[in-house]
């Protein structure tokens, strides 16, 4: 009785011992460690040099203040703690620009992503012909630099230069009431194709068996798009939304170019324009403090959006 009872235990122990001798993945020796270092080192060096070091320099610069001995004394930078950040939170123009781009993003980002999703679904539809042409046509505006696009649309908006004089003479698209949405149109025109390709690539990765099963159940193309394609490209929509939120808070090239066409666009029209104007005074320490606060605001907004979408996805 005793021998028969202990035999399974002994066999199990022998198996475990054999597995231990073979070694688990955690104990396995890494082969060619220097090859791994050689491949990772270029990225690590560039990441540290052009990402972490500039962030550290900006944070340190934001903690400095300029002091002078007398009216015409030499300027020296000394540690000032959070003095620059106190000035940031007292700067009304900066926070007005932040609110302006938030309003911009609330309207422009959903419109842009809605168009990108629509174009991606059209390209993925078997009913559409000439997909290569339309894919290139939708993406082509992204190949145009933002400054060039802003100049081109600025001429189209100008009442005296636009070929659509009948419209621009009646509605001044460069006035204070409309210039923000004129800029939004330029950004949408440029980036719809970029976001469309991200969504379209996700659609191409969906197994065809899912569509075949839906068609067997009697689903049409509209039903497949609504019930299958859109839910499955949700991660791509979240990714493009996060990238768009970050890009909205970093808006610079288009409004900076529109200053040549519209007096309604001031030097503090967007947060990045405020930072650029402040650094040109020059007041580099205050500009660095603006940059740090803007970066933190961007991170918080993006992280909050990710948490909300993840929670919603988990709830479903």
């Amino acid at each position: 009785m005793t021998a028969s009872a202990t035999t399974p235990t002994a066999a199990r122990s022998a198996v475990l011992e054999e597995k231990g001798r073979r070694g688990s993945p955690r104990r396995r020796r890494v082969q060619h460690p220097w090859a791994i270092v050689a491949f990772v080192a270029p990225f690590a060096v560039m990441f540290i040099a052009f990402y972490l070091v500039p962030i550290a320099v900006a944070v340190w610069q934001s903690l400095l203040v300029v002091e002078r001995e007398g009216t015409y004394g030499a300027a020296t930078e000394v540690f000032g703690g959070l003095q620059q950040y106190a000035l940031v939170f007292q700067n009304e123009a900066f926070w007005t620009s932040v609110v302006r781009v938030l309003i911009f993003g609330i309207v422009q980002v959903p419109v842009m992503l809605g168009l990108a999703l629509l174009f991606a679904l059209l390209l993925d539809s078997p009913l559409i012909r000439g997909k290569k042409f339309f894919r290139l046509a939708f993406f082509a505006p992204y190949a145009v630099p933002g400054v060039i696009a802003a100049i081109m649309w600025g001429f189209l908006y100008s009442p005296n230069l636009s070929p659509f004089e009948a419209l621009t003479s009646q509605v001044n698209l460069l006035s204070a009431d409309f210039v923000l949405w004129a800029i939004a149109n330029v950004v949408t025109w440029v980036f719809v194709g970029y976001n469309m390709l991200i969504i379209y690539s996700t659609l191409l990765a969906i197994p065809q068996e899912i569509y075949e099963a839906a068609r067997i159940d009697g689903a049409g193309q509209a039903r497949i798009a609504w019930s299958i394609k859109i839910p499955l490209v949700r991660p791509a929509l979240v990714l493009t939304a996060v990238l768009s939120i970050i890009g909205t808070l970093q808006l610079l090239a288009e409004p900076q170019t529109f200053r040549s066409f519209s007096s309604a666009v001031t030097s503090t029209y967007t947060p990045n324009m405020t930072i650029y104007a402040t650094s040109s005074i020059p007041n580099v320490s205050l500009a660095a403090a603006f940059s740090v606060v803007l970066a933190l605001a961007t991170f918080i907004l993006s992280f909050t959006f990710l948490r909300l979408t993840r929670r919603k996805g988990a709830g479903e």
Side-chain angles (χ1 to χ4, degrees):
M1 294 290 292
T2 305
S4 61
T6 57
T7 299
T9 304
R12 193 181 305 112
S13 300
V15 171
L16 293 175
E17 185 178 352
E18 179 64 22
K19 287 184 177 179
R21 283 199 299 267
R22 291 179 182 177
S24 62
R26 290 180 297 176
R27 296 180 182 178
R28 192 170 297 165
R29 237 179 125 184
V30 177
Q31 297 182 350
H32 310 296
W34 290 110
I36 298 175
V37 173
F39 281 110
V40 174
F43 166 78
V45 170
M46 300 290 283
F47 181 77
I48 293 172
F50 296 102
Y51 190 79
L52 296 183
V53 171
I55 290 176
V57 171
V59 172
W60 172 250
Q61 186 68 48
S62 68
L63 300 175
L64 302 178
V65 295
V66 177
E67 290 186 354
R68 295 180 182 273
E69 295 182 2
T71 306
Y72 302 102
T76 56
E77 289 185 332
V78 298
F79 183 78
L82 300 178
Q83 293 185 34
Q84 300 291 1
Y85 291 96
L87 295 177
V88 169
F89 287 99
Q90 295 170 10
N91 193 295
E92 184 178 351
F94 176 74
W95 293 106
T96 300
S97 68
V98 171
V99 173
R100 182 179 293 114
V101 295
L102 289 177
I103 296 173
F104 174 96
I106 289 172
V107 176
Q108 187 268 336
V109 171
V111 171
M112 177 178 65
L113 296 186
L115 289 174
L117 176 62
L118 175 62
F119 293 157
L121 291 173
L122 288 175
L123 286 178
D124 195 58
S125 173
L127 304 177
I128 301 297
R129 297 292 181 266
K131 293 183 180 181
K132 292 183 179 179
F133 168 77
F134 286 110
R135 184 168 64 239
L136 179 62
F138 292 149
F139 183 74
Y142 182 69
V144 180
V147 174
I148 303 301
I151 293 174
M152 180 183 70
W153 281 96
F155 279 112
L156 293 177
Y157 292 147
S158 298
N160 300 326
L161 302 173
S162 175
F164 310 104
E165 187 177 355
L167 173 63
T168 56
S169 61
Q170 299 294 325
V171 181
N172 186 4
L173 298 173
L174 298 176
S175 64
D177 295 330
F178 295 103
V179 70
L180 182 65
W181 310 118
I183 296 171
N185 178 63
V186 177
V187 176
T188 302
W189 181 78
V190 171
F191 286 99
V192 161
Y194 170 80
N195 293 297
M196 177 208 69
L197 279 187
I198 296 176
I199 300 170
Y200 182 58
S201 300
T202 307
L203 286 171
L204 293 178
I206 298 174
Q208 293 297 317
E209 291 80 3
I210 298 177
Y211 300 149
E212 293 174 3
R215 284 192 286 267
I216 291 174
D217 290 340
Q221 291 299 320
R223 183 65 177 177
I224 291 174
W226 180 258
S227 299
I228 297 177
K229 293 183 178 181
I230 294 178
L232 290 179
V233 300
R234 184 174 174 273
L237 290 173
V238 172
L239 171 64
T240 53
V242 171
L243 295 177
S244 300
I245 290 171
I246 296 172
T248 296
L249 291 171
Q250 294 179 346
L251 195 63
L252 176 64
E254 291 82 5
Q256 186 74 17
T257 305
F258 265 69
R259 290 192 66 191
S260 304
F261 299 97
S262 173
S263 59
V265 181
T266 63
S267 61
T268 59
Y269 197 72
T270 67
N272 266 351
M273 291 179 68
T274 304
I275 295 169
Y276 179 78
T278 304
S279 64
S280 302
I281 292 177
N283 192 341
V284 180
S285 296
L286 182 57
F290 279 135
S291 300
V292 172
V293 171
L294 181 62
L296 289 175
T298 304
F299 170 78
I300 292 171
L301 190 60
S302 303
F303 183 76
T304 302
F305 177 80
L306 282 174
R307 288 295 299 269
L308 290 175
T309 53
R310 184 182 301 175
R311 186 177 303 173
K312 183 179 179 181
E316 294 174 353

